[in-house]
Amino acid sequence: MKGNYSKIGKLLNILLKIVFIILIVIILALLPILKAMNIEIMLIYYFIYPIGIAFLILMYQFILMFQSLGEKTAFSKENIKRLDKAKNSSFFIALCILVTILFSTIMYQFSLFMIIYFIFLTILFLGVAIALYILRELFKDAIDYKEENDLTI
Amino acid sequence: MPIIVNLDVILAKRKMSSNELAEKIGITQANLSILKTNKGKAIRFSTLEKICEVLNCTPGDILEYRKNEKYE
């Protein structure tokens, strides 16, 4: 059964997929391009890989969830697993950014602005992880209600 | 499951098939099957009413309470 979501939903879906592809290209191409331009690659730039991959996983879960929205199978165990993966990815990214801060304050002279900026990013991704966890619990309850309703003759 | 649905017995008594019953009370054969195999979690009073009307019986003829034998 096909479901319809609003125009904004369709726009977001397309945007998500475009950003996903752009991100893959950036992550794969960034360091080699910098090397080719003879720009010094600080050790810290290598953090792009774990953070990037985790973020791609996160976005992919969202793409799959959008798909399930379209097919009206939103309240399913599959989506709960996807929300779990998304939450774990987000939490991992927050940890990576935190490590980046510690790493750079030890190895480089980082401006105060950068430190504050990275702390903000850490808290942001922690917030996303928390929101995804809450959503997961809500979905779990919703599935129970749906099953109860489906099995009421 | 403590509440048992005894449709088979009374269907045999009234010489009616499941498909016929499903059609007469206006539910799908799949849903009737869920009821008969005790996989349902709840039944609407409206459905129960239609079943009793069609089969000319009372809810007690169809629903039975059997205590769980296992205790945790």
Side-chain angles (χ1 to χ4, degrees):
Chain A
M1 204 164 85
K2 271 258 170 188
N4 260 334
Y5 36 86
S6 61
K7 282 185 188 162
I8 295 182
K10 288 188 178 142
L11 191 70
L12 286 175
N13 195 11
I14 295 175
L15 208 69
L16 187 66
K17 289 180 179 157
I18 292 177
V19 174
F20 185 69
I21 295 176
I22 291 178
L23 221 66
I24 292 181
V25 172
I26 290 179
I27 289 174
L28 289 177
L30 189 66
L31 288 193
I33 288 181
L34 290 181
K35 258 195 189 132
M37 286 161 57
N38 279 326
I39 295 179
E40 180 211 341
I41 297 183
M42 303 196 278
L43 202 62
I44 203 164
Y45 280 27
Y46 286 105
F47 272 99
I48 287 181
Y49 288 123
I51 293 181
I53 291 177
F55 200 70
L56 283 175
I57 293 177
L58 180 68
M59 293 189 86
Y60 188 59
Q61 302 311 312
F62 285 168
I63 288 176
L64 288 177
M65 284 181 72
F66 250 111
Q67 215 177 341
S68 79
L69 267 184
E71 290 164 10
K72 286 275 184 191
T73 54
F75 289 127
S76 59
K77 296 231 163 96
E78 295 288 308
N79 270 359
I80 294 220
K81 284 188 198 158
R82 287 172 193 151
L83 278 174
D84 268 334
K85 282 185 193 163
K87 170 199 68 165
N88 293 340
S89 305
S90 184
F91 190 66
F92 177 72
I93 292 174
L95 280 178
C96 279
I97 295 180
L98 196 65
V99 168
T100 310
I101 301 173
L102 298 172
F103 208 68
S104 46
T105 49
I106 295 174
M107 294 197 68
Y108 307 105
Q109 275 295 5
F110 242 24
S111 67
L112 186 64
F113 170 73
M114 289 293 263
I115 293 181
I116 293 179
Y117 182 65
F118 277 108
I119 290 183
F120 167 72
L121 281 181
T122 308
I123 295 179
L124 188 72
F125 277 98
L126 264 178
V128 169
I130 291 175
L132 288 170
Y133 173 71
I134 292 175
L135 222 73
R136 179 218 190 262
E137 291 297 311
L138 283 174
F139 260 65
K140 192 161 145 284
D141 278 348
I143 287 179
D144 288 340
Y145 290 138
K146 182 173 181 287
E147 193 194 32
E148 183 107 18
N149 188 39
D150 284 343
L151 292 176
T152 296
I153 310 296
Chain B
M1 193 83 216
I3 299 282
I4 314 285
V5 178
N6 291 320
L7 271 179
D8 294 316
V9 176
I10 194 147
L11 276 178
K13 275 194 195 164
R14 302 279 184 266
K15 295 199 174 52
M16 196 185 293
S17 73
S18 305
N19 301 341
E20 207 183 320
L21 179 65
E23 203 183 310
K24 282 192 175 165
I25 62 181
I27 67 175
T28 63
Q29 289 169 15
N31 280 356
L32 187 64
S33 157
I34 289 176
L35 258 190
K36 278 175 66 180
T37 55
N38 289 308
K39 290 206 171 68
K41 294 217 159 156
I43 186 169
R44 297 196 179 92
F45 281 160
S46 55
T47 309
L48 192 56
E49 191 185 313
K50 281 190 212 141
I51 294 178
C52 290
E53 194 183 318
V54 168
L55 294 177
N56 193 23
C57 63
T58 185
D61 297 331
I62 307 170
L63 303 172
E64 184 190 330
Y65 174 69
R66 242 177 255 170
K67 241 187 199 171
N68 266 334
E69 271 140 12
K70 294 183 197 160
Y71 289 93
E72 283 191 304

